[in-house]
Amino acid sequence: MTVGAVILAASVESALADADGVPRVRRIADAAWAGGAMPVVVVAPDPDGRVAAALAGAEVTLATPVDPERGPVGQIARGIDVAAGLVSGTTGALIWPARLCWVGPETVTSLVEAHGPYGESLLQPEYEGAAGWPVLLPLDALAVFRAQSATAMPDELVAGVVATGLSTHAIELGDPGTVIDGETRREDLPPYLGPADPSGGQDWGSPVAAMPEDAPLAGPALALDRD
C-alpha cells in the first residue's frame, strides 16, 4: 500500500507564493514527504525554471501540466498518472491544492494510515467539522474521477465523485491548515487540535533531518511527457 501526493498549482505565482519564508510548493512537498507520502508530484507550469529551483533538494517530481482546457480534473489525473508510474503498487493519492500550504506532516501520516482500513473510501480531513484538504482518492476510483466535468473545481470534483456512489470517510484531525489557506498568515492560524506525535511510528520530518547540511541541492525529477 503506497499513497502518493499530487500538489497542484495553476500558475507559477501560486506555486511560489510565500509561505512563511518558503515557496508554497516547497513547504507542501516537504510536509508530504515527511508525513509518509511517496512519491510526491508537483503539477505546475514552469516556463523559466523558478518552480524547479524552489524544489531543489526535495524528494519530488515536477510534472508539466496538460492542456488547460482539460480543467482541474485533467491536471489532477495527470499528477496521479505520474505518481502511479513512478511507484508500482500505488493505491491512493493525496490531492493537494497549493493554496493549502499550512497542512502539517502529521495530517499526511494520519490519512496514509487510514487508507489501510478504509482503502476503498475517499478520505477527507476535517477541522472542527469543516471538510478540508488534501483529499485521499483511492486509485480504484480514478476512472470515475476522470469522467468528471472539465469545468468543475476541486470541491465540485470531490462532490461529483462521491455522488457516483464512492464511499467517503471524514476524519477529524484538528489541523487548521486543512481548511485555512495561505492567505492567512501562519501565526494567525487557530490552534492545532490534533495529536502531538505520530500514531503509527512515522518520524515526522525524518526525511529532511536525515539530509546532511552540506548535501548538494539536486533539482527535482522531471516528468515532461504529456498524455
Side-chain angles (χ1 to χ4, degrees):
M1 181 190 74
T2 302
V3 175
V6 175
I7 302 162
L8 304 146
S11 66
V12 174
E13 290 72 25
S14 64
L16 300 181
D18 180 72
D20 202 18
V22 179
R24 284 184 185 175
V25 290
R26 179 54 184 262
R27 178 171 290 278
I28 296 170
D30 287 346
W33 178 255
M38 184 181 68
V40 179
V41 176
V42 172
V43 181
D46 192 26
D48 58 6
R50 287 187 293 153
V51 176
L55 294 170
E59 294 286 345
V60 61
T61 294
L62 179 60
T64 53
V66 296
D67 190 321
E69 291 186 359
R70 295 173 61 178
V73 65
Q75 308 306 336
I76 293 168
R78 161 67 169 157
I80 293 175
D81 288 340
V82 170
L86 289 169
V87 177
S88 62
T90 298
T91 56
L94 294 165
I95 301 171
W96 199 327
R99 62 186 177 83
L100 277 307
C101 58
W102 302 132
V103 177
E106 62 274 18
T107 291
V108 176
T109 301
S110 296
L111 290 168
V112 171
E113 289 181 345
H115 180 57
Y118 296 101
E120 297 181 356
S121 299
L122 180 144
L123 304 179
Q124 189 157 29
E126 289 187 344
Y127 180 77
E128 296 193 315
W133 297 87
V135 166
L136 197 160
L137 179 75
L139 261 61
D140 286 346
L142 182 55
V144 174
F145 185 83
R146 288 187 200 273
Q148 302 300 301
S149 171
T151 62
M153 299 307 290
D155 286 329
E156 297 171 319
L157 291 172
V158 170
V161 76
V162 170
T164 68
L166 178 67
S167 63
T168 182
H169 183 70
I171 309 174
E172 178 60 63
L173 294 177
D175 184 349
T178 61
V179 297
I180 299 175
D181 65 24
E183 294 304 308
T184 297
R185 297 184 303 174
R186 189 180 188 186
E187 63 193 58
D188 294 331
L189 291 174
Y192 175 72
L193 304 174
D197 298 298
S199 59
Q202 171 72 28
D203 184 8
W204 297 333
S206 57
V208 176
M211 180 179 292
E213 291 185 1
D214 59 352
L217 294 179
L222 301 178
L224 299 177
D225 54 303
R226 303 189 187 194
D227 55 0

